[in-house]
Amino acid sequence: MPPPPPQTSHADLRVAFLGCGFITGVHSRHLTAVPGIRAGYASRDPAKAEQFRARYDGVRAYAGYDAALTDPRWTPSSSRCRRRTTATSRSPRWRPASTCSSRSRRSLRRDFQAVRAARDGTDPHRVVLVGENDHYKPLAVALRRLLASGVIGELVMAHFTTVADKPKQGDDWRNDETLAGGDAFFEEGIHWLHLAGSLGPRIVAAHGFRPEPGPASASGDRRHRSMVVAFRYDTGATGALFYSREIPSLLRGLRTSKLYGREGVITFESNGGVVVARGRGRPRVVVPGFRDIRGYQAMYADFARAIRTGNAPEMSLERALEDHLLMEQVRDG
């Protein structure tokens, strides 16, 4: 008889990280601030898994991903679900669907289907959350509230700017488009495209325009590093995203974006420092908050809530697939 599935009480919720690289450290630092969640760590290098476990007060270290995936304390007892999850974890590096070959895109969609089938199996409390922390950051929450309140009336146009001179080193794996899934925009821009489409109105069409590439940076970054994406919302509003990692900006990234409505304008610092809304009533100045400015802690809190209540998380598998399909349009348009 297989061991019982893990309990979901507040005291013993567990998360297993597959891989112990830089971003696992980022997530772990924020996870320690969320009550009632502790982590286990799996790596092909057992010593590295143990280092992460010790550094972040984890509950267990695993020598390889299979060891974590087959541990009943972390995965559902259903062997069918476990096989599907393992198969997905063994697939090539997940990269933006927009930059894959047509065969790779079909493979990625099959991965989505496999995870969805595992989620929707016999266990009604199985939860899948896609780690898009930008969905949860205070800036996104503040903008959603302001738009929903009607402070600028009906949205007409949106203008998002993320410009900075931040080249990668020449030997960085992101310089290999086969590994990175594409140029600079496809390595990070999906976060900004999601932000643009997460404010209430949904993006239904997107088209990318890439300027001619400049010379390699002094550090050896050889990628295309700029992109303009034009898009249309389901409400009929339009928008544009200006993305660059080769144009200097104040403080290496300070910039402003705007949401234009029929009754006013919302101006915000693109990183989430401050928001100014001019429209109905007196002008409003909103400081979204710096404590969890990237939204990691709110993301994990939503994950825990979904597991404990059985309700869907805000950043669902279906929502992530919408983002990937938009990225395909950006590349193919």
Side-chain angles (χ1 to χ4, degrees):
M1 177 179 294
Q7 299 298 309
T8 58
S9 68
H10 183 80
D12 62 3
L13 192 58
R14 301 289 185 258
V15 172
F17 285 103
L18 305 184
C20 295
F22 168 79
I23 197 62
T24 295
V26 173
H27 281 277
S28 295
R29 288 194 297 273
H30 290 282
L31 189 65
T32 58
V34 181
I37 304 179
R38 293 182 67 194
Y41 296 92
S43 174
R44 296 182 181 92
D45 179 351
K48 196 169 187 179
E50 175 55 29
Q51 290 172 2
F52 270 71
R53 186 209 62 77
R55 183 182 307 162
Y56 299 109
D57 191 30
V59 292
R60 189 163 184 184
Y62 293 91
Y65 301 157
D66 284 346
L69 287 166
T70 56
D71 187 335
R73 286 173 290 190
W74 304 96
T75 59
S77 58
S78 165
S79 60
R80 183 182 184 190
C81 173
R82 193 174 300 148
R83 284 197 301 271
R84 283 175 169 164
T85 307
T86 304
T88 299
S89 74
R90 287 174 173 166
S91 66
R93 179 188 300 273
W94 277 39
R95 53 182 91 111
S98 49
T99 60
C100 299
S101 67
S102 58
R103 178 178 297 179
S104 296
R105 294 180 197 179
R106 289 194 297 270
S107 176
L108 184 142
R109 293 184 189 184
R110 285 196 298 270
D111 283 347
F112 270 103
Q113 293 168 359
V115 175
R116 182 163 51 195
R119 180 199 64 187
D120 297 338
T122 57
D123 183 351
H125 299 300
R126 192 168 294 143
V127 172
V128 174
L129 178 143
V130 177
E132 178 52 86
N133 54 285
D134 280 26
H135 180 86
Y136 298 91
K137 64 185 183 180
L139 172 65
V141 174
L143 293 177
R144 284 196 283 266
R145 288 175 177 168
L146 287 169
L147 284 179
S149 73
V151 65
I152 62 169
E154 181 184 1
L155 182 66
V156 179
M157 298 184 298
H159 171 200
F160 298 85
T161 303
T162 169
V163 171
D165 185 16
K166 294 182 178 179
K168 301 296 184 183
Q169 295 298 315
D171 59 355
D172 192 288
W173 62 267
R174 294 168 184 83
N175 266 305
D176 184 339
E177 291 195 7
T178 303
L179 292 176
D183 60 27
F185 178 78
F186 294 103
E187 189 260 320
E188 184 192 2
I190 190 169
H191 301 295
W192 292 91
L193 192 62
H194 175 83
L195 174 66
S198 70
L199 304 182
R202 303 290 273 269
I203 296 174
V204 294
H207 190 105
F209 299 89
R210 190 165 66 175
E212 288 298 314
S217 70
S219 68
D221 193 333
R222 303 178 300 277
R223 305 171 298 166
H224 286 80
R225 285 175 279 155
S226 296
M227 176 80 79
V228 176
V229 178
F231 51 85
R232 180 177 295 278
Y233 288 104
D234 56 0
T235 60
T238 59
L241 167 61
F242 291 79
Y243 177 96
S244 179
R245 291 297 175 262
E246 61 181 332
I247 298 175
S249 61
L250 184 62
L251 300 178
R252 296 195 69 206
L254 189 65
R255 55 266 178 169
T256 58
S257 299
K258 293 179 180 288
L259 303 176
Y260 298 91
R262 299 198 186 280
E263 299 182 38
V265 179
I266 296 173
T267 303
F268 57 97
E269 197 283 306
S270 301
N271 295 304
V274 66
V275 179
V276 179
R278 297 179 290 107
R280 294 178 181 174
R282 300 176 61 182
R284 306 185 196 179
V285 178
V286 178
V287 179
F290 296 95
R291 183 183 64 82
D292 185 30
I293 195 168
R294 293 299 307 277
Y296 287 108
Q297 294 173 32
M299 178 182 71
Y300 276 112
D302 184 40
F303 184 47
R305 176 199 57 79
I307 291 175
R308 290 170 178 138
T309 65
N311 296 322
E314 290 184 31
M315 193 59 213
S316 66
L317 189 66
E318 287 75 16
R319 188 68 186 82
L321 182 56
E322 288 182 34
D323 290 342
H324 278 289
L325 295 178
L326 286 174
M327 292 292 278
E328 285 190 14
Q329 291 185 33
V330 171
R331 180 186 184 277
D332 296 341

